[in-house]
Every structure is written in structure tokens, then in C-alpha cells.
Amino acid sequence: MNPSSASPRSDEVLGELQSFLAREKVQAHFDAYTRALYSTDASNHQVEPLGVAFPRNADEVSAIVTKAHELALPLLPRGSGTSLGGQAVGACVILDLARHMDGLSAIDAEAQSATVQPGLVCARLNAAAARKGLMYGPDPASADRATFGGMLGNNATGAHSIRYGMSSDHLLEAAVVLSDGTRTRFGTVEEGELGRLASKPGLEGAIYRAASEVRSTAGPAIAAAWPRTWRRASGYGVNYLVGYTPRQPPGWYRPQQPYLSATGFNLAPLLCGSEGTLAVITEATVRLVSRPKATVLSVLPFSSIAEACDQTPHILQTHPSSVELIPRSMIERARGVPAYARKLTFVDGDPAALLVVEYEGETVDEARAAATRLSGSARRLETAEAQANLWAVRKVGLGLLMSIPGDTKPATFIEDVAVPVERLGEYVRRVDAILARHGTRGEWYAHASAGCLHLRPLLNLKSAEGRAGLRRIAEAVFEVVTDMRGSFSGEHGDGLSHTEFNARLFGPEVMDVFRRIKDAFDPQHILNPGKVVPLAGSPEAAIDRQLRYEAGREGRSPATVFAFQREHGFLRAVEACNGAGVCRKDGGLMCPSYQATRSEVHSTRGRANALRAVLSGRLPSSAWGGRELYEILDLCLECKGCKAECPTAVDMARLKAEYLYAYQQANGTPIRSLLFGDIARLLRLARPAAPIANLLRGTRWLRGAQHLALGIDRRRKLPRLAPAPAKLPRLTDGQAPDRAVVLFVDTFAEYSHPRTILSARRVLESAGYNVFRAAGQACCGRPMISKGLLDRARAAARRNIDALFPAATRGVTIVGLEPSCLLTLRDEYLEFFPEDPKARAVAGASKLLEEFLSEPGSSGEAPMQKLTFSSQPAAISVHGHCHAKALVGMSPLVQVLRASGAEVNEIDSGCCGMAGSFGYEMEHYDLSMQIGEMRLFPAVRSEAERGGVVVATGTSCRTQIADGTGVEALDLAEYLASRLL
């Protein structure tokens, strides 16, 4: 049922559900934008849902399912929506269980178990369990945003599957809502109890009767047809009902116990991999495992992927806990993303492939001794930092491999085949030959240990030829899989992509078992219909149908001020978002508004999907200038976290600025945006009245006036004005370039905080440099960019490039104090003038103060080494500016502070929440403070209580810290100057 083509009867039924939800006060949305945002996941597919409901508890889930059962309306439970097979999309009412049902009910350290709600993110459980020396064993790469409902529904696992198996091996009990709204719990049932449950009336009894019958009659058929690998996400896990497994994970952590439980009867594992087609999980009790005391990684280089695969069975004989494959292409792409380029400390030379082999032990010495069982030349990583760097790059591997501009991209459809590991090298060679015959290629990576390498062939799915290639390649690879007795999905599930292959993969007898199970659990087939088991009488789930892009239909790409050169235009920049949902992760820099609201619409993916829906024509073209799209982008703080942490480097800050420019061209520019955008001119005009302005800035009547007249929240004070500027000499031709620096003076240092200029001058002169200002240098234009005043910002960029180019061309470094301003020279200026050699020269000469001080100069000595500081010890907590984190990283800042003799604590704070003018605006103030309160404010208060110093390099950050905690944070230059002897 699709709303755009629904019959009068279906409209009436859907309306009845909406009325019911309104009466029951269940949050739900059925508008076009919400449906567009939930029409995709991380797969190739796109299906518009009927609407989205956000239940708060199991009672509301039961009420919704009961009503849907009465109306015969299809439902689809969904977590983070990161599924790769199209499991999380469908013409259903989606139950978003991640918004509210995300609690951690209990951790039982003695029983080594945890009870969780379906919306809980795996990383949050692991953070809590770590304090008790425990963790959840299956570890998908998406653990920082994957919810337990999705992980169980998908039977997720990850790099350590040879040790801990799959999610089905760790689900002990599940509280569920059945397809008629009945609430029950599945767990281990003793033999004497099974008969009583099977005799119960209603749906629960029917389920137990069907499962008991399968258990007693289907064992031989299952054993005969089952894939010869334990690594399986295809079909239903009926092998758990009959206790059959063709083999077990080679490093299984419980060798004293059978891999599949031989006692009792438990329906809970059957739910794993069922993709929400059997029941809705409302709570789960999962097994925890002991965290390894110590690990050592051995990194082995290979000259080819196939060679690495050939060696994997031999490596498994050394009893590792993980064997992961990283291809050269992933390393090359990681070098292009700042957040990950800094982590490539484990790569030597230019190998075609790396195998990362992990060994565990009670101590590092024991883990190291285990690693010595591995022959060959391997680089060992023993420190936590070195290992964390490698795993960070590995876990974003899929996104990194997707970061290819243009329409030909790596396509997901055969990416998680699992074959017996002893045939993995053969499998790679045969599939490479298939791709070559079809004129394409792909990159292999991931779980060599389990015979489950990920692969995405390069295809243009916008073209009929690309879609035909997808079908032909899938069929050819499927023949190889069945020949090897593998599983067409070893991790990512069936969904829309693989369901059609199940009948051929398992054969008619086992497929009949699947249907009997589905019919027993869901007689009306209203739960995620058509997944795992095809649904008769409806559009068949197929690998090449219901795709995200329509063949031959090109979306519109509007004319832009920014070049979007890397992405090949605005449309391709939007389409770079592949739905992986890294922006929904718990913690990190992006996306602050999502972390605060937990709302899909306020994630980077949500904004990208909304833009794509308009540009692709799924929403009317009038929506481009409409208020709904404006409000969807409104809570983007333009922090640039996505540019750094999104594996495909989606730069939503730039997309938003370009959109604001177009929106304001059509609808006019608010006076507040004009004032904030041109803040440099405003402050310059106000400077003569600085004494009066400073006297009035905190008064009640002025705050009330700014609130009512300009929408500047009355709880904020306007910036203090400095009566006079900090004077710097102008750079002349006679200055020696190796002893001179040009200080790029930002607007707020110029008019509000001149002491930072004087402090920077003192520090730089103490290091032996003469400090100048470039004649004609003005505001960088960043405030204009953030307000969508791109024509004015481009003009400001032109002025600054012309003013700074003489210094840059002579080899003089341009040093900046305010990260958002200085880095505009390196980022947006190249987008304004992509072909201008002057812009490139200025960008190349520009450095933040911490970069300049920490990098060796022409003499080979870093300027920081020339400074002498007080020997008095200092404790510092440092908060990094978002733009600096995104484009530079924290390493230079921390390095400089430590070189000054300080004990440095790097606050894991993400965005401060101020983001330029964002936190001043009355409609954003509360969210701004909520973001600050998530991590930054508590850390600052803790530092203040122990008498330490807080350093923050951004003016906005220091203002936010002062307003939120009352603590006066110092700029880097101020701190260093205060410590100088």
C-alpha cells in the first residue's frame, strides 16, 4: 500500500489508525517528509512507508500492533535503519523503536547477562558493561549506532565472530509483541513445560505447536540442505530448533560446552535474523562475555587478496580471536578523510592487502606469546592507542569504500556471502573472474576468518545497463555460492535483496519449514511482509526492484556559488550520503543535534534524504523553497563533524549554506541573519560607543529588546566591545620571510578580545618571529557563510585572498587563532575559487597557531621548542573547536599544551552547542545548552572543582562555557603567554 496511489478504502483504513494513535497519544507522523526520510536504509532500495510511529513502551507497541492486526495494516519494526539488504524499508507503518525505547534495564555481572530495550545502541551497553569487565560478544562495525532490535533482527556479528558467533548465540530471552498484539516472553522451556505451552489457545499456542512439529520432523531435511557454514543470516534460524550446525566458529569461546545448546527448548534464537517478520521485540536478555584482559594485533602484508585468503585457514590454526582483511583501496580512501588519515599508523609500504590477526591473553606478555605462533613478517600493535586506530579505520571500511564521486559506485547486493573458509581463496578468484567478464571490479574486505568477505562491485544503478549488470552478477555469484554450499548472506540478511534466493538456496522442504514458521507467528503476514519468506500476491522482493534511483531519471542539481568540485555538483554531494547512518552514532563530533534530539530528521542522513527527495522529484519542486525543508536543515549547527566523521565526507555545513542562499534568494533574508552575517561591520560601527554598549549589555531592558526585536535570546549577553584595537605592523617587502608571520586577525579578536592578539604576538615573538598583519585583510566571511550570504562571503574571500597572497607567495606563514576563520581560508575559499592559484597558495600557507608552533620550520626545529615556560605544573582540560577537530584534529593542540609542561586532559565533548550565532538565537538556545550539557559542561565543572584550567580555542566555545558553567576558559595564546618566562 503506497499513499501516493492508495485506494479510498486504504486511505480510510490508514486514517482510522491515525485517529487511534492520536486518541492514545502515541507520537506518529504521516507527512510526506517523514515518509521520505524513512523510505531508505543503507541498501540500494527505496520504498515509501505509510507513516512512522514512535512508541514509548511495550504497552504502546502492543496497542499499535493490536490495531494494525484489526485493520490488516502492515508494520515494520525499525532501529537505526542501517540495514544493507532493505530489511528496514517497506510500504508499512514503521515502528521507530530507537527514539524512546532505548533503555538499559539491568546488567547481571554474576550471570553475565544484560537486559536491554530494542532501541539501545550496542556501544552504550558495552560502555556500561566494561565497568564490570564484560562486553557483548558480537561486534558489528556499526556498534556505535546499531540498536539491539536491529542487531537481533539481523542476526548481526562482526570481526570477532570466530570467537563469539552471531547474535543468535547470545539471545537468552526476549519479551515480544506477537502479530495480534499479544505480549509474551520467549526463553528456555523445559521439556515438561513445552506440551502445556503448545496446548494453549490463541497465537502463542499455535507458535509452540508449529515449532515443536518442526523440531520433531524437520531435522533431517534441515541437515541435508543447510549451508555448510555456521556464518549464516539467510532464512530463519530453524537449525536452532533442531540443534543442528554443520560446524562451529573455530575460536568458540566456550569450548567446554556445545556450540548449540542441547538442553531445553528456546524460541528466542529463532527471532535472530527474522527481520521483524515474526514478532516485535520489546526487551531482550542477552549474554555478556568477559572482556579480554589484553590483546595483540599482528598485521601481515600480502601481494594480493587471494593470497591473503589462501593463508587464512593456516592462520586459524594458531587460534586467533579475529582475522580481518583490509585492502589497499580502503587505506587510500582513509588517507583522504582527516579523521581517519591520522589513524593510519599501522601501515608500512604499499601492500595490496593486510590481514589483521588478533590474539588474546590474560596479560600483554601472554597475548604476545600467542602471537608468536604466527609465522612470517608481521608488524605487531601492542598499545591500546595503536590498536584503536586500526579498528577505527576497519569499522568505517564500508563507508570509505563507498566514498567515490559520480554515479558509478560500489553497490551492495553480494557483499556478505559466507563460504567455507578453506575455499575462500577459490571463491575470491571465481568472483573476480565474474566481475571481469562483466566489465567491472570490486574491493574485498572484512571477515576473512569466517569466510565472509565483503564485496561491492562498481555499478551505475541509475542506468538500465547497471541494473542489468546487478542481476547478471548476482545470479552468477549465487551459482558459485550454492556450488560451495555457502550462504548468500552471512551477516546482512535477506530483506529486499536476498529473499528471492532463499527457495533456491535452501530447497523446497526447508523453504516449506520457513513458511510454516511465518504462518504460525504471523497468519496475516502483517509484520514486515515479503522479507525472508516471499509474500504471495504482492510485489516480489527482488534484488533489482524498488531501487533508490530510477533508471534514466536524473535529479536536478541547482546552480551554486560553491563549486562542489570533489562531489561533481550539489546533487552528487547530497547523494554521497549512502544511508550507513554513522551520523546516528552515540558520541563523537557528529551530529550534535541528533545526539540531543535522537530524531532521524535531525541527523545528517535525515537532512541529506530530505534534500535528495526534493531534488529527485519524489517531493514537488516547490518544496525547494518551502518552510518544511528549511526547518529540517535549521538545526544543523554547521559544525563540520560530518565532513570529518562521515566515511563519505558528506559536508552538510556547506550544503546547508548553499541551500540557505537559494532559500533566501526566493524568500528574503531575515534582518537577524544580515546582522549576524555582517557582524564585523556592525562591531566596527559600534566601537566608538564601546563604554556605553558594555555598560548596557547585561541590562534587563536591552536583553528584552534584543529578544523581541531580533530573536536573540534574552539569556545571552551580547559580546563585549574593546574600545581600541590591538595594533600590529603591516608586512612590507623588506621583511625576511623565514622570520616573519602574518597573523590573520579574526573579527572577535579584533573587536572583542584583542588580548588574544597581544598574547599570540608575545608567544610568536618569544619564538623568534616578527608578527605582522596583511594590509587589506578583513573578516574571513565565515559568519556570512553560516547565514547563507554566499555572494557577500565570496566577495570577502576575494578581498582576503588578494590581501594575503603577497605573503603566501613569499613563503610567509599565515597564522590564525580562531579555527572557524582560519580554516575557512583552507576549505571554503577553495570552493569559491577552485581554479585560482592565489586561493590555493593562501590555503597552503595558512595554519592554526597550534599547527605552526608544533611543526618543524626550515631549521628543523619546531617554534615551540624555542619557548621557555614556567616549571610550575599545570592541570588543563582542553576542549577542541569543531572545525579544528574536523579539518586538523586535536593532536597539534594537545602536543603544544603538553610541550608547555601541562598535564592535559582532552575533553571528549563533541560540539559545544554554540556554533557561532546558533546558540544566541532564541529558538535554538535550549537545544544549544542541552548539547553543552551532554558532555562539555560536566567536564568543565569537574575541572573547575579540582582547580584546573580550561583551554578552548574558539570564541563561541569560550562564550558557551562561560554561559553554561560560569567558568572562564582561556584561548591557547592566552594560556601560553601566561606560562612564558
Side-chain angles (χ1 to χ4, degrees), residues 901-933:
E903 174 194 332
V904 181
N905 168 47
E906 183 181 339
I907 300 174
D908 179 21
S909 48
C911 178
C912 73
M914 178 64 89
S917 65
F918 183 90
Y920 279 93
E921 296 162 353
M922 62 183 187
E923 69 271 27
H924 298 146
Y925 175 85
D926 290 333
L927 177 63
S928 168
M929 299 306 281
Q930 182 184 350
I931 291 169
E933 203 64 66

Side-chain angles (χ1 to χ4, degrees), residues 205 298 487 638 859 938:
S298 293
S487 176
E638 301 177 65
S859 65

Side-chain angles (χ1 to χ4, degrees), residues 84-101:
L84 290 160
Q87 299 93 312
V89 296
C92 308
V93 175
I94 287 177
L95 303 181
D96 185 335
L97 301 175
R99 173 79 67 86
H100 302 298
M101 297 179 66

Side-chain angles (χ1 to χ4, degrees), residues 1-14 18 30-32 35-36 38-39 46-51 72-74 89-93 529 538-539 546-547 550 618-619:
M1 185 190 301
N2 190 311
S4 62
S5 59
S7 67
R9 168 61 185 157
S10 62
D11 281 341
E12 179 184 334
V13 170
L14 190 59
Q18 291 177 256
F30 293 81
D31 61 281
R35 297 200 309 271
Y38 282 80
S39 66
Q46 180 158 6
V47 184
E48 189 173 280
L50 305 178
L73 273 172
V89 296
C92 308
V93 175
S538 71
Q546 298 175 296
L547 299 184
E550 298 180 34
R618 289 184 179 270
L619 290 173

Side-chain angles (χ1 to χ4, degrees), residues 121 138 173 192 307 343 449 564 594 716 795 809 813 826 930:
V121 171
E173 291 186 7
E307 179 193 1
K343 299 180 184 297
S449 59
F564 293 97
Y594 171 75
R716 298 283 191 191
T809 197
T813 302
R826 284 171 32 182
Q930 182 184 350

Side-chain angles (χ1 to χ4, degrees), residues 877-897:
S877 281
V878 57
H879 164 73
H881 189 284
C882 291
H883 289 200
K885 287 179 181 176
L887 301 177
V888 176
M890 287 289 288
S891 179
L893 178 57
V894 172
Q895 183 180 340
V896 165
L897 289 170

